[in-house]
Amino acid sequence: MSPIKMLLNIKAATALLIPLAFAAPAFPPPAELTQGVVNSNISLIAGGGLPNVSASSSVEATGLAITGLQLLASLENIEAFFYSDAIQNLTSGVYTTGDLVLNDTMEIIEKIAAQEEIHVATTGAVLRLNSGPVVPPCLYTFPATNFDEFLAVANLITSTNFGSVIGLEQQLGEKVSTLSPAITAILGVETRHDAFLRILHGAIPNPAPFDTAVPIAWAYNIGLQYTVPGSCPVEVPLPTYPQLSMDPAEPPAFASASYPSTMSFTWDNQQAWVQREEGKQLYAAWINLYNQPIYTPVTVTKPGSGTTPVPTDMQAVAFVALTTLQPSDFTDLQDATLAGPLAIAVS
């Protein structure tokens, strides 16, 4: 029996004992979320509302911690609208679920969407408690055209989100105590979302012993890939990088059955960094699991295009960007990034 069928059978049996009564969800996310306003219907679907204790840490957040909180708020906005968009596409028939029962699938995704709305409100509350600027939603566009592509994009977005929390903790170092416990309490929920969505696709829900820590500027730039340029009322004060693309460009997908030995990328050859770094060896910087970055040389095959070996034995989602340096430190790599990053499913 497949994992999803087993889970649905358990769910059906449980339903005989615990009746579920969800009211119609209020999607898309209301603008009031960033101000900490959550209606009771969303709380019911999510399984709970905002924490009833102070969402602040014992030490007031400043500097990098505030920027990190703004990043997390921006990523939670993306997730809330992404799952809201999925609900609309499932309801209208744009997405079809194949052998999966539509009502069961909708219930799962509605719960995830509601929990993301609670997360939006929570990050906004933490920012206000620390006198930080809240981050209202932008306009977003998502590349999924069917249900399996939706699951693939969800895997990448969610991996970026929980990876950014781990990355922020790493970059804060001794100042990690300024990060609110309410934020770290979100982390496990995000990983459960990812595990269940992987099961819906038929992938292994727990592909690796560690999740991947993502530098916060990398996470921000991955979020920008789903954001309409110029649509954000508040910009997070993190660097933006020129775009890096897979060559050839392909629809969103989970990892292929065969592990790749090489990958090819394209970039804008007219960017200033291309002329500035001319003559230097270009590297692909890979981040995966809780390891130091791995660097592989990029062979430039023509202006704005190159190929590089893929490090062996990477798992889950890997993150890659271009650089001419090989720093071991997260923040130094963030500063040395020339183009990218990309989130790539490798298992």
Side-chain angles (χ1 to χ4, degrees):
M1 182 181 295
S2 71
I4 183 61
K5 287 182 179 178
M6 183 180 298
L7 284 169
L8 292 179
N9 285 346
I10 293 171
K11 180 178 179 299
T14 304
L16 297 175
L17 302 174
I18 307 174
L20 299 176
F22 292 138
F27 301 117
E32 293 85 356
L33 282 175
T34 53
Q35 300 303 319
V37 178
V38 179
N39 68 52
S40 58
N41 189 36
I42 292 297
S43 297
L44 173 66
I45 299 169
L50 286 171
N52 63 2
V53 297
S54 173
S56 64
S57 68
S58 57
V59 181
E60 183 175 0
T62 58
L64 179 61
I66 290 293
T67 300
L69 288 170
Q70 288 184 288
L71 162 70
L72 300 177
S74 72
L75 295 177
E76 292 295 350
N77 280 331
I78 291 171
E79 286 193 302
F81 276 82
F82 174 66
Y83 289 110
S84 171
D85 184 66
I87 290 168
Q88 293 175 3
N89 285 330
L90 283 165
T91 303
S92 65
V94 174
Y95 294 167
T96 56
T97 57
D99 293 337
L100 301 176
V101 179
L102 177 60
N103 288 345
D104 290 334
T105 305
M106 279 284 289
E107 185 179 311
I108 294 164
I109 295 173
E110 285 175 0
K111 195 172 191 70
I112 292 174
Q115 289 172 348
E116 296 300 350
E117 296 195 13
I118 299 294
H119 295 171
V120 169
T122 301
T123 52
V126 174
L127 280 166
R128 289 193 306 278
L129 284 168
N130 287 278
S131 303
V134 297
V135 182
C138 310
L139 299 178
Y140 306 106
T141 179
F142 303 107
T145 61
N146 57 53
F147 187 65
D148 207 51
E149 289 181 3
F150 154 74
L151 293 174
V153 175
N155 183 41
L156 300 180
I157 291 177
T158 307
S159 297
T160 301
N161 194 343
F162 60 69
S164 71
V165 177
I166 305 170
L168 176 58
E169 290 178 338
Q170 185 167 327
Q171 288 178 266
L172 283 172
E174 294 179 354
K175 296 181 179 180
V176 72
S177 60
T178 62
L179 192 60
S180 166
I183 298 301
T184 54
I186 288 173
L187 186 59
V189 178
E190 294 286 350
T191 58
R192 285 194 289 274
H193 291 173
D194 185 57
F196 203 92
L197 292 167
R198 287 177 64 91
I199 290 175
L200 287 179
H201 170 73
I204 295 173
N206 53 333
F210 298 98
D211 290 316
T212 298
V214 183
I216 60 174
W218 280 30
Y220 179 55
N221 279 263
I222 290 173
L224 290 178
Q225 296 170 15
Y226 306 104
T227 304
V228 176
S231 68
C232 295
V234 174
E235 299 282 352
V236 179
L238 285 167
T240 57
Y241 309 121
Q243 185 175 355
L244 184 67
S245 302
M246 295 288 294
D247 186 22
E250 296 179 346
F254 279 83
S256 62
S258 58
Y259 192 88
S261 59
T262 62
M263 284 189 184
S264 297
F265 306 106
T266 60
W267 57 88
D268 182 359
N269 198 52
Q270 300 305 309
Q271 289 286 332
W273 72 263
V274 178
Q275 285 72 42
R276 186 179 69 245
E277 304 293 320
E278 186 176 4
K280 297 180 182 179
Q281 175 63 59
L282 194 61
Y283 295 99
W286 302 86
I287 293 178
N288 187 241
L289 308 186
Y290 206 69
N291 298 316
Q292 288 191 340
I294 299 172
Y295 296 91
T296 55
V298 176
T299 300
V300 177
T301 53
K302 61 182 180 181
S305 180
T307 300
T308 189
V310 177
T312 58
D313 299 326
M314 293 193 298
Q315 299 294 334
V317 173
F319 299 83
V320 61
L322 298 183
T323 182
T324 53
L325 302 175
Q326 300 183 65
S328 59
D329 179 79
F330 243 33
T331 301
D332 289 344
L333 174 57
Q334 182 174 278
D335 295 339
T337 299
L338 300 175
L342 290 172
I344 302 172
V346 291
S347 73

